[in-house]
Amino acid sequence: MAAATRLISRLTLVTGGGSGIGQAVCQRFASEGASVVVADISEESANETLKSLTSDCRGQVHMSAEVDVSSKESIKKLITNIQTLYYQPPSVCVNAAGITQDDFLLNMEEEHFDRVIQVNLKGSFLVTQAVAQALVACGAPKGSIVTLGSIVGKVGNLGQSNYSASKAGVQGLTRTAAKELSRFGIRCNCVLPGFISTPMTDKVPEKVITKTLTAVRAGLTADVLKTEIRRLCSS
Ligand code: NAP
């Protein structure tokens, strides 16, 4: 199927849709024919994304919604509103809502640790659970839930003990959700981006960006070298 029509008649929900990666996902989904629910803690930024969405396919209806993914009540209200408007739950969900509250481990405030876990990890759990429950309850499940992890969850990062723990957590959550929900035809995947330029990374100190870029370049060089050595050995 052509990429441009891959999502025709699919209802999609994107949390954190008001900014950065979530916003780009909303725009891509809309351009591929999906109806998109743009959900964000900021109603204003969700509305901004909504205005940027194309709706060239028949039946495409987008909406924006304010949601706090760390609140079960708020998510419940969102899912109810979606079902009222579309008469179905979203069959594609992207958990892109996320925050950072960086500080070195020696100085990190307990509430900064808790808030990042609440939004990034618990928020992904609550949204995944609510969407999966709605899909199973509607009797015709089958869906796809994608959660934004981070490479930082695998390798750690200076000043991000809370964030890296939350992102390691969503990997475990996703693996378990995938095992439990596969029998309903619901796929769960976690993607682990490196640094992507968004309002979130605008807060990263220049020193850290430079260090990361150096590491990425060194990694690429090592990969190129390995490939070259393998090629030489096999010829
Ligand atoms: P972003 O531009 O800051 O977008 C995140 C969005 O989530 C913002 O609109 C934010 O609103 C919203 N949000 C925050 N708390 C929320 C809550 N409780 N409920 C609902 N929405 C909430 O960040 P991004 O870079 O696009 O990141 C998107 C996801 O990718 C995050 O999970 C992030 O951890 C992950 N990621 C990003 C990178 C990167 O390099 N950018 C790398 C790896 C993984 P406010 O702006 O009002 O807080």
Side-chain angles (χ1 to χ4, degrees):
M1 194 183 288
T5 54
R6 209 163 34 184
L7 293 174
I8 280 181
S9 79
R10 299 301 290 265
L11 177 57
T12 64
L13 164 65
V14 182
T15 71
S19 175
I21 297 172
Q23 182 180 67
V25 170
C26 291
Q27 289 164 343
R28 181 63 181 256
F29 280 2
S31 74
E32 293 191 8
S35 292
V36 182
V37 179
V38 186
D40 202 282
I41 199 159
S42 156
E43 193 179 6
E44 201 187 327
S45 57
N47 281 333
E48 282 305 307
T49 299
L50 181 68
K51 279 191 233 153
S52 75
L53 302 184
T54 52
S55 21
D56 299 334
C57 297
R58 202 143 53 94
Q60 254 186 314
V61 179
H62 311 304
M63 69 173 264
S64 63
E66 187 183 338
V67 71
D68 177 357
V69 297
S70 68
S71 153
K72 193 174 173 142
E73 269 315 294
S74 178
I75 295 164
K76 196 173 159 197
K77 199 170 129 203
L78 171 70
I79 300 293
T80 304
N81 288 345
I82 293 172
Q83 305 219 66
T84 306
L85 186 67
Y86 296 94
Y87 306 108
Q88 59 178 314
S91 61
V92 176
C93 169
V94 178
N95 288 308
I99 56 166
T100 54
Q101 292 198 344
D102 297 353
D103 209 339
F104 289 114
L105 183 122
L106 291 178
N107 305 327
M108 183 163 291
E109 303 281 349
E110 186 179 347
E111 66 259 30
H112 289 173
F113 187 88
D114 287 346
R115 187 63 192 152
V116 168
I117 297 289
Q118 266 166 14
V119 174
N120 298 1
L121 178 54
K122 189 177 164 196
S124 298
F125 160 70
L126 289 173
V127 173
T128 299
Q129 185 187 50
V131 169
Q133 282 173 341
L135 280 168
V136 172
C138 83
K142 264 196 194 285
S144 173
I145 302 174
V146 178
T147 300
L148 268 295
S150 166
I151 195 65
V152 161
K154 248 185 156 39
V155 301
N157 196 23
L158 293 175
Q160 293 199 310
S161 52
N162 50 1
Y163 182 78
S164 56
S166 74
K167 292 301 180 179
V170 297
Q171 283 183 57
L173 165 71
T174 304
R175 286 203 174 94
T176 303
K179 287 191 162 121
E180 291 186 13
L181 299 174
S182 62
R183 71 192 181 98
F184 300 106
I186 302 171
R187 289 180 290 117
C188 298
N189 288 284
C190 187
V191 289
L192 314 184
F195 277 117
I196 296 179
S197 182
T198 68
M200 181 178 275
T201 44
D202 288 348
K203 292 178 221 150
V204 177
E206 199 52 47
K207 252 184 358 193
V208 177
I209 300 267
T210 310
K211 224 177 165 151
T212 307
L213 281 175
T214 311
V216 169
R217 286 189 188 120
L220 287 178
T221 313
D223 273 350
V224 172
L225 266 177
K226 263 189 266 168
T227 313
E228 189 58 12
I229 289 166
R230 229 178 276 131
R231 190 182 67 76
L232 287 171
C233 290
S234 60
S235 60

